[in-house]
Amino acid sequence: MPKPPASPAAVLRWGSLTALAGGVAAAAAVAGTRAWALTSARDRIHSPGGSPTVEAAVVLGAGVLPDGRPSRYLAARLDRALELLRLRRVDVVVVSGADLPGADEPGVMRRYLEDHGVDPALIVEDREGVDTYATCRRARRVYGLRRIALVSQAYHLPRALAIARAAGLDAVGVADWSVRTPLMVADRNVWAYGVAREWVAGGKVLIDLVRPRREDDPEHDPAVQRALAHARSR
């Protein structure tokens, strides 16, 4: 005999339990990836003056303004890279970001550094650094780097360092805190949003690590090695 159809109450109960189980699993995954990120970053986040000497600073892209200037957050990251250069903690700076119509992050970053006196031969543009995962994978597999300083806001670095480690890099983080205490309330809200976003982004890390992308099989680019050779010849 055919089974009698489930009652509406039973269907509702089953749907609620399924949704609850899914929510618990998602929350556990997010918490787990955040814990993994924090563990990976333990004792590896520094100020520019406290950073060890590494091959290159890799500055992670952020927004640019319509007039072609870097946003406050991106300018702050570039200022930390300038400090690393002045302190001789790095020889080369890789500016990694998205190259979009009207928002050429690597180009804007290069101009900022050059305007502050950096030798153009010491700057390498990574125009396919569309996100943190792509930047770290390309630093290792395209540019042949091993020891780097990832430069970003402090809240972003635990996840970035976890991804770098998974990509085979020996990375430290150089943190910017300067935009955390601005005069404008709106800027403080941007920092709070960034902190919250890092929890949500944990799920994306899991997807990135298990799902191949086009940039997972890149061609080698000798640009960084040429820049390092130039730095060492001066």
Side-chain angles (χ1 to χ4, degrees):
M1 293 181 61
K3 293 179 64 175
S7 68
V11 171
L12 181 60
R13 191 162 52 246
W14 175 254
S16 299
L17 288 172
T18 302
L20 177 61
V24 169
V30 168
T33 53
R34 188 59 179 167
W36 169 59
L38 292 172
T39 299
S40 296
R42 186 176 297 155
D43 300 325
R44 299 187 73 82
I45 296 178
H46 309 279
S47 66
S51 173
T53 300
V54 295
E55 293 174 289
V58 178
V59 184
L60 296 161
V64 300
L65 303 178
D67 63 3
R69 291 180 297 126
S71 64
R72 257 175 53 83
Y73 275 57
L74 183 54
R77 298 179 188 187
L78 294 165
D79 288 341
R80 303 292 81 74
L82 288 168
E83 289 182 66
L84 289 170
L85 283 169
R86 285 196 290 266
L87 293 166
R88 299 186 179 275
R89 298 296 196 272
V90 301
D91 292 323
V92 170
V93 179
V94 178
V95 290
S96 182
D99 180 8
L100 303 172
D104 176 6
E105 288 182 354
V108 168
M109 295 159 81
R110 169 183 280 281
R111 285 194 297 275
Y112 186 92
L113 293 174
E114 291 181 1
D115 288 346
H116 285 76
V118 179
D119 181 346
L122 302 180
I123 306 168
V124 175
E125 297 179 37
D126 175 12
R127 293 184 163 273
E128 294 188 44
V130 295
D131 58 17
T132 305
Y133 171 85
T135 293
C136 291
R137 294 283 287 187
R138 289 174 58 78
R140 180 71 193 96
R141 301 185 67 177
V142 174
Y143 298 113
L145 287 165
R146 292 185 179 275
R147 299 188 70 237
I148 66 169
L150 283 171
V151 185
S152 187
Q153 272 68 49
Y155 62 75
H156 180 202
L157 286 172
R159 179 169 61 92
L161 288 170
I163 294 171
R165 183 175 181 179
L169 290 162
D170 178 9
V172 296
V174 172
D176 171 68
W177 292 92
S178 68
V179 293
R180 188 182 186 187
T181 54
L183 297 176
M184 301 295 292
V185 172
D187 288 336
R188 292 200 298 270
N189 290 341
V190 172
W191 183 280
Y193 167 78
V195 173
R197 182 179 177 275
E198 285 305 300
W199 283 86
V200 178
K204 182 176 179 296
V205 173
L206 292 176
I207 295 170
D208 286 336
L209 294 179
V210 301
R211 184 188 66 189
R213 290 203 222 166
R214 178 174 58 85
E215 65 264 28
D216 283 351
D217 190 24
E219 294 183 8
H220 177 69
D221 185 334
V224 171
Q225 302 308 317
R226 286 198 299 265
L228 287 169
H230 175 75
R232 291 161 185 164
S233 69
R234 295 191 305 169

